[in-house]
Short mmCIF file of all heavy atoms in Angstrom, two decimals:
data_model
loop_
_atom_site.label_atom_id
_atom_site.label_comp_id
_atom_site.label_asym_id
_atom_site.label_seq_id
_atom_site.Cartn_x
_atom_site.Cartn_y
_atom_site.Cartn_z
N LYS A 45 45.79 50.74 71.11
CA LYS A 45 47.23 50.48 70.97
C LYS A 45 47.57 49.04 71.34
O LYS A 45 48.30 48.35 70.62
CB LYS A 45 48.03 51.45 71.84
CG LYS A 45 47.88 52.92 71.47
CD LYS A 45 48.79 53.80 72.28
CE LYS A 45 48.49 53.80 73.76
NZ LYS A 45 47.16 54.36 74.08
N THR A 46 47.04 48.59 72.48
CA THR A 46 47.33 47.22 72.93
C THR A 46 46.69 46.20 71.99
O THR A 46 47.29 45.15 71.72
CB THR A 46 46.83 47.02 74.37
OG1 THR A 46 47.58 47.88 75.25
CG2 THR A 46 47.03 45.57 74.82
N THR A 47 45.52 46.50 71.47
CA THR A 47 44.89 45.60 70.50
C THR A 47 45.77 45.43 69.27
O THR A 47 45.96 44.31 68.77
CB THR A 47 43.51 46.14 70.09
OG1 THR A 47 42.67 46.23 71.25
CG2 THR A 47 42.85 45.23 69.06
N LEU A 48 46.31 46.53 68.78
CA LEU A 48 47.21 46.47 67.63
C LEU A 48 48.44 45.63 67.95
O LEU A 48 48.88 44.79 67.15
CB LEU A 48 47.63 47.88 67.21
CG LEU A 48 48.69 48.00 66.11
CD1 LEU A 48 48.27 47.25 64.85
CD2 LEU A 48 48.97 49.47 65.81
N LEU A 49 48.98 45.82 69.15
CA LEU A 49 50.17 45.07 69.54
C LEU A 49 49.86 43.58 69.66
O LEU A 49 50.68 42.73 69.27
CB LEU A 49 50.71 45.61 70.87
CG LEU A 49 52.21 45.48 71.07
CD1 LEU A 49 52.96 46.34 70.07
CD2 LEU A 49 52.60 45.87 72.48
N ARG A 50 48.69 43.24 70.18
CA ARG A 50 48.31 41.83 70.30
C ARG A 50 48.17 41.17 68.93
O ARG A 50 48.48 39.99 68.77
CB ARG A 50 47.01 41.72 71.09
CG ARG A 50 47.17 41.97 72.59
CD ARG A 50 45.84 41.88 73.31
NE ARG A 50 45.21 40.57 73.11
CZ ARG A 50 45.52 39.47 73.80
NH1 ARG A 50 46.47 39.51 74.73
NH2 ARG A 50 44.90 38.33 73.57
N ILE A 51 47.71 41.93 67.95
CA ILE A 51 47.63 41.39 66.59
C ILE A 51 49.04 41.13 66.06
O ILE A 51 49.32 40.06 65.50
CB ILE A 51 46.87 42.36 65.67
CG1 ILE A 51 45.38 42.36 66.03
CG2 ILE A 51 47.06 41.98 64.20
CD1 ILE A 51 44.55 43.38 65.28
N LEU A 52 49.95 42.09 66.27
CA LEU A 52 51.32 41.90 65.81
C LEU A 52 51.99 40.74 66.53
O LEU A 52 52.82 40.03 65.95
CB LEU A 52 52.13 43.18 66.02
CG LEU A 52 51.71 44.40 65.21
CD1 LEU A 52 52.57 45.61 65.58
CD2 LEU A 52 51.82 44.12 63.71
N ALA A 53 51.63 40.55 67.82
CA ALA A 53 52.23 39.46 68.60
C ALA A 53 51.64 38.10 68.25
O ALA A 53 52.20 37.08 68.63
CB ALA A 53 52.03 39.74 70.09
N GLY A 54 50.53 38.09 67.53
CA GLY A 54 49.91 36.82 67.16
C GLY A 54 48.90 36.31 68.16
O GLY A 54 48.40 35.18 68.04
N PHE A 55 48.55 37.11 69.16
CA PHE A 55 47.58 36.69 70.15
C PHE A 55 46.14 36.88 69.67
O PHE A 55 45.20 36.39 70.28
CB PHE A 55 47.77 37.46 71.47
CG PHE A 55 49.12 37.28 72.08
CD1 PHE A 55 49.78 38.35 72.67
CD2 PHE A 55 49.76 36.05 72.05
CE1 PHE A 55 51.03 38.19 73.23
CE2 PHE A 55 51.01 35.88 72.61
CZ PHE A 55 51.65 36.96 73.21
N ASP A 56 45.96 37.63 68.59
CA ASP A 56 44.63 37.92 68.07
C ASP A 56 44.71 37.94 66.55
O ASP A 56 45.37 38.79 65.96
CB ASP A 56 44.16 39.29 68.59
CG ASP A 56 42.71 39.61 68.23
OD1 ASP A 56 42.16 38.92 67.33
OD2 ASP A 56 42.15 40.53 68.83
N ASP A 57 44.07 36.96 65.92
CA ASP A 57 44.07 36.93 64.45
C ASP A 57 42.67 37.15 63.88
O ASP A 57 42.42 36.90 62.70
CB ASP A 57 44.65 35.61 63.93
CG ASP A 57 43.88 34.39 64.40
OD1 ASP A 57 42.83 34.56 65.07
OD2 ASP A 57 44.33 33.26 64.10
N ASP A 58 41.76 37.65 64.72
CA ASP A 58 40.39 37.90 64.29
C ASP A 58 40.27 39.35 63.81
O ASP A 58 39.73 40.22 64.49
CB ASP A 58 39.42 37.63 65.44
CG ASP A 58 37.96 37.82 65.03
OD1 ASP A 58 37.67 37.76 63.82
OD2 ASP A 58 37.12 38.02 65.93
N PHE A 59 40.82 39.62 62.63
CA PHE A 59 40.75 40.95 62.06
C PHE A 59 40.66 40.83 60.54
O PHE A 59 40.98 39.79 59.96
CB PHE A 59 41.98 41.79 62.46
CG PHE A 59 43.29 41.28 61.92
CD1 PHE A 59 43.82 41.76 60.73
CD2 PHE A 59 44.00 40.30 62.58
CE1 PHE A 59 45.02 41.29 60.21
CE2 PHE A 59 45.22 39.82 62.09
CZ PHE A 59 45.72 40.32 60.90
N VAL A 60 40.23 41.91 59.92
CA VAL A 60 40.16 41.95 58.46
C VAL A 60 41.44 42.60 57.95
O VAL A 60 41.75 43.74 58.31
CB VAL A 60 38.93 42.74 57.98
CG1 VAL A 60 38.92 42.82 56.46
CG2 VAL A 60 37.65 42.11 58.50
N GLY A 61 42.18 41.91 57.13
CA GLY A 61 43.43 42.44 56.60
C GLY A 61 44.48 41.36 56.58
O GLY A 61 44.18 40.17 56.71
N GLU A 62 45.72 41.76 56.43
CA GLU A 62 46.81 40.79 56.39
C GLU A 62 48.11 41.45 56.81
O GLU A 62 48.28 42.67 56.76
CB GLU A 62 46.96 40.19 54.99
CG GLU A 62 47.27 41.22 53.90
CD GLU A 62 47.29 40.60 52.52
OE1 GLU A 62 47.00 39.40 52.40
OE2 GLU A 62 47.63 41.32 51.56
N ILE A 63 49.01 40.60 57.27
CA ILE A 63 50.37 41.02 57.59
C ILE A 63 51.29 40.13 56.78
O ILE A 63 51.24 38.91 56.90
CB ILE A 63 50.66 40.89 59.09
CG1 ILE A 63 49.71 41.79 59.90
CG2 ILE A 63 52.11 41.26 59.40
CD1 ILE A 63 49.84 41.64 61.39
N GLU A 64 52.11 40.76 55.94
CA GLU A 64 52.99 40.00 55.07
C GLU A 64 54.44 40.25 55.43
O GLU A 64 54.81 41.34 55.85
CB GLU A 64 52.75 40.35 53.60
CG GLU A 64 51.40 39.87 53.09
CD GLU A 64 51.23 40.12 51.61
OE1 GLU A 64 51.78 41.11 51.11
OE2 GLU A 64 50.56 39.30 50.97
N SER A 65 55.26 39.23 55.23
CA SER A 65 56.68 39.30 55.53
C SER A 65 57.47 39.11 54.25
O SER A 65 57.17 38.25 53.44
CB SER A 65 57.05 38.20 56.54
OG SER A 65 58.44 38.13 56.72
N SER A 66 58.51 39.93 54.08
CA SER A 66 59.40 39.81 52.92
C SER A 66 60.76 39.36 53.40
O SER A 66 61.33 39.97 54.32
CB SER A 66 59.53 41.15 52.20
OG SER A 66 58.28 41.57 51.70
N ASP A 67 61.30 38.30 52.79
CA ASP A 67 62.63 37.85 53.18
C ASP A 67 63.70 38.59 52.38
O ASP A 67 63.41 39.49 51.61
CB ASP A 67 62.76 36.33 53.02
CG ASP A 67 62.60 35.86 51.58
OD1 ASP A 67 62.79 36.69 50.67
OD2 ASP A 67 62.29 34.68 51.37
N HIS A 68 64.91 38.20 52.60
CA HIS A 68 66.02 38.93 51.96
C HIS A 68 66.04 38.74 50.45
O HIS A 68 66.71 39.48 49.74
CB HIS A 68 67.35 38.48 52.58
CG HIS A 68 67.48 38.85 54.01
ND1 HIS A 68 67.52 40.16 54.44
CD2 HIS A 68 67.55 38.10 55.14
CE1 HIS A 68 67.65 40.20 55.76
NE2 HIS A 68 67.66 38.96 56.21
N ASN A 69 65.33 37.74 49.94
CA ASN A 69 65.25 37.52 48.50
C ASN A 69 64.04 38.23 47.90
O ASN A 69 63.68 37.98 46.75
CB ASN A 69 65.20 36.03 48.19
CG ASN A 69 66.45 35.31 48.62
OD1 ASN A 69 67.55 35.83 48.45
ND2 ASN A 69 66.29 34.13 49.20
N ARG A 70 63.42 39.08 48.72
CA ARG A 70 62.25 39.87 48.30
C ARG A 70 61.02 39.01 48.00
O ARG A 70 60.07 39.48 47.40
CB ARG A 70 62.59 40.75 47.08
CG ARG A 70 63.72 41.74 47.35
CD ARG A 70 63.92 42.67 46.17
NE ARG A 70 65.02 43.60 46.41
CZ ARG A 70 64.91 44.74 47.08
NH1 ARG A 70 63.74 45.09 47.57
NH2 ARG A 70 65.94 45.53 47.25
N ALA A 71 61.05 37.77 48.42
CA ALA A 71 59.85 36.95 48.29
C ALA A 71 58.87 37.36 49.39
O ALA A 71 59.27 37.62 50.52
CB ALA A 71 60.19 35.47 48.43
N THR A 72 57.62 37.44 49.06
CA THR A 72 56.61 37.87 50.03
C THR A 72 55.72 36.70 50.39
O THR A 72 55.31 35.91 49.55
CB THR A 72 55.74 39.00 49.43
OG1 THR A 72 56.59 40.10 49.11
CG2 THR A 72 54.69 39.46 50.42
N ARG A 73 55.43 36.59 51.67
CA ARG A 73 54.56 35.51 52.13
C ARG A 73 53.72 36.04 53.29
O ARG A 73 54.06 37.05 53.89
CB ARG A 73 55.38 34.30 52.59
CG ARG A 73 56.23 34.57 53.82
CD ARG A 73 57.15 33.39 54.12
NE ARG A 73 57.85 33.56 55.38
CZ ARG A 73 58.92 34.32 55.56
NH1 ARG A 73 59.42 34.99 54.54
NH2 ARG A 73 59.50 34.42 56.74
N LYS A 74 52.67 35.32 53.61
CA LYS A 74 51.85 35.70 54.75
C LYS A 74 52.66 35.47 56.02
O LYS A 74 53.30 34.44 56.19
CB LYS A 74 50.55 34.89 54.80
CG LYS A 74 49.59 35.41 55.87
CD LYS A 74 48.22 34.78 55.73
CE LYS A 74 47.26 35.37 56.77
NZ LYS A 74 45.91 34.79 56.66
N PHE A 75 52.64 36.45 56.91
CA PHE A 75 53.45 36.40 58.12
C PHE A 75 52.80 35.47 59.14
O PHE A 75 51.65 35.66 59.53
CB PHE A 75 53.57 37.81 58.70
CG PHE A 75 54.36 37.89 59.97
CD1 PHE A 75 55.62 37.34 60.06
CD2 PHE A 75 53.84 38.56 61.06
CE1 PHE A 75 56.36 37.45 61.22
CE2 PHE A 75 54.57 38.67 62.23
CZ PHE A 75 55.83 38.11 62.31
N SER A 76 53.52 34.45 59.57
CA SER A 76 53.05 33.57 60.63
C SER A 76 53.44 34.19 61.95
O SER A 76 54.59 34.12 62.38
CB SER A 76 53.66 32.18 60.49
OG SER A 76 53.27 31.36 61.55
N ARG A 77 52.50 34.83 62.62
CA ARG A 77 52.84 35.70 63.74
C ARG A 77 53.20 34.93 65.01
O ARG A 77 54.22 35.15 65.62
CB ARG A 77 51.67 36.65 64.02
CG ARG A 77 51.41 37.62 62.87
CD ARG A 77 50.18 38.44 63.10
NE ARG A 77 48.98 37.65 63.17
CZ ARG A 77 48.32 37.20 62.12
NH1 ARG A 77 48.78 37.42 60.91
NH2 ARG A 77 47.23 36.50 62.26
N LEU A 78 52.33 34.03 65.43
CA LEU A 78 52.48 33.42 66.74
C LEU A 78 53.77 32.61 66.82
O LEU A 78 54.02 31.75 66.00
CB LEU A 78 51.28 32.53 67.06
CG LEU A 78 51.16 32.03 68.50
CD1 LEU A 78 51.07 33.22 69.46
CD2 LEU A 78 49.95 31.13 68.67
N GLY A 79 54.58 32.89 67.81
CA GLY A 79 55.81 32.15 68.02
C GLY A 79 57.01 32.73 67.31
O GLY A 79 58.12 32.26 67.51
N ASN A 80 56.82 33.74 66.49
CA ASN A 80 57.94 34.30 65.73
C ASN A 80 58.54 35.54 66.36
O ASN A 80 59.52 36.05 65.85
CB ASN A 80 57.48 34.66 64.30
CG ASN A 80 57.40 33.44 63.43
OD1 ASN A 80 57.98 32.41 63.74
ND2 ASN A 80 56.69 33.54 62.34
N ILE A 81 57.96 36.04 67.42
CA ILE A 81 58.43 37.30 67.99
C ILE A 81 58.54 37.19 69.50
O ILE A 81 58.03 36.25 70.13
CB ILE A 81 57.51 38.47 67.62
CG1 ILE A 81 56.17 38.32 68.35
CG2 ILE A 81 57.28 38.57 66.14
CD1 ILE A 81 55.36 39.57 68.31
N GLY A 82 59.22 38.18 70.10
CA GLY A 82 59.27 38.29 71.54
C GLY A 82 58.23 39.30 72.01
O GLY A 82 57.98 40.30 71.34
N TYR A 83 57.64 39.04 73.17
CA TYR A 83 56.59 39.91 73.70
C TYR A 83 56.93 40.31 75.13
O TYR A 83 57.20 39.44 75.98
CB TYR A 83 55.25 39.18 73.65
CG TYR A 83 54.08 39.97 74.22
CD1 TYR A 83 53.56 41.05 73.53
CD2 TYR A 83 53.50 39.61 75.44
CE1 TYR A 83 52.49 41.78 74.04
CE2 TYR A 83 52.43 40.33 75.95
CZ TYR A 83 51.93 41.41 75.25
OH TYR A 83 50.88 42.13 75.76
N VAL A 84 56.92 41.62 75.39
CA VAL A 84 57.18 42.13 76.75
C VAL A 84 55.93 42.88 77.21
O VAL A 84 55.61 43.94 76.66
CB VAL A 84 58.40 43.06 76.78
CG1 VAL A 84 58.67 43.55 78.20
CG2 VAL A 84 59.64 42.34 76.24
N PRO A 85 55.19 42.36 78.19
CA PRO A 85 53.95 43.00 78.64
C PRO A 85 54.21 44.15 79.60
O PRO A 85 55.35 44.46 79.96
CB PRO A 85 53.22 41.85 79.34
CG PRO A 85 54.33 41.01 79.89
CD PRO A 85 55.46 41.10 78.89
N GLN A 86 53.11 44.78 80.05
CA GLN A 86 53.22 45.91 80.97
C GLN A 86 53.84 45.49 82.29
O GLN A 86 54.71 46.17 82.83
CB GLN A 86 51.84 46.53 81.22
CG GLN A 86 51.26 47.27 80.03
CD GLN A 86 49.95 47.95 80.36
OE1 GLN A 86 49.74 48.41 81.49
NE2 GLN A 86 49.05 48.02 79.40
N ASP A 87 53.35 44.38 82.86
CA ASP A 87 53.95 43.90 84.10
C ASP A 87 55.13 43.00 83.74
O ASP A 87 55.33 42.61 82.60
CB ASP A 87 52.93 43.16 84.97
CG ASP A 87 52.25 42.02 84.23
OD1 ASP A 87 52.78 41.59 83.19
OD2 ASP A 87 51.19 41.56 84.69
N PHE A 88 55.91 42.66 84.72
CA PHE A 88 57.15 41.94 84.43
C PHE A 88 56.90 40.50 84.04
O PHE A 88 57.64 39.90 83.26
CB PHE A 88 58.09 42.01 85.64
CG PHE A 88 58.29 43.42 86.14
CD1 PHE A 88 57.94 43.77 87.44
CD2 PHE A 88 58.80 44.40 85.32
CE1 PHE A 88 58.12 45.06 87.90
CE2 PHE A 88 58.99 45.70 85.77
CZ PHE A 88 58.64 46.02 87.07
N SER A 89 55.84 39.89 84.62
CA SER A 89 55.43 38.52 84.27
C SER A 89 56.56 37.50 84.41
O SER A 89 56.61 36.53 83.66
CB SER A 89 54.86 38.48 82.84
OG SER A 89 53.70 39.25 82.76
N LEU A 90 57.46 37.72 85.35
CA LEU A 90 58.48 36.72 85.62
C LEU A 90 57.91 35.64 86.53
O LEU A 90 57.03 35.90 87.35
CB LEU A 90 59.70 37.36 86.29
CG LEU A 90 60.43 38.45 85.50
CD1 LEU A 90 61.60 38.99 86.32
CD2 LEU A 90 60.90 37.94 84.16
N PHE A 91 58.40 34.42 86.39
CA PHE A 91 57.95 33.33 87.25
C PHE A 91 58.67 33.45 88.59
O PHE A 91 59.90 33.32 88.65
CB PHE A 91 58.26 31.98 86.61
CG PHE A 91 57.59 31.79 85.28
CD1 PHE A 91 58.34 31.59 84.13
CD2 PHE A 91 56.21 31.80 85.16
CE1 PHE A 91 57.73 31.42 82.90
CE2 PHE A 91 55.58 31.63 83.94
CZ PHE A 91 56.34 31.44 82.80
#
Side-chain angles (χ1 to χ4, degrees):
K45 297 185 296 296
T46 296
T47 300
L48 174 56
L49 210 65
R50 286 178 58 82
I51 289 174
L52 295 178
F55 301 140
D56 187 344
D57 60 4
D58 183 21
F59 65 94
V60 178
E62 60 185 4
I63 299 175
E64 291 185 328
S65 173
S66 298
D67 63 21
H68 294 296
N69 297 319
R70 300 186 181 276
T72 300
R73 66 187 187 281
K74 189 169 183 180
F75 179 52
S76 176
R77 295 174 297 279
L78 191 60
N80 281 342
I81 69 166
Y83 178 72
V84 181
Q86 290 185 33
D87 55 18
F88 309 120
S89 296
L90 299 180
F91 300 119

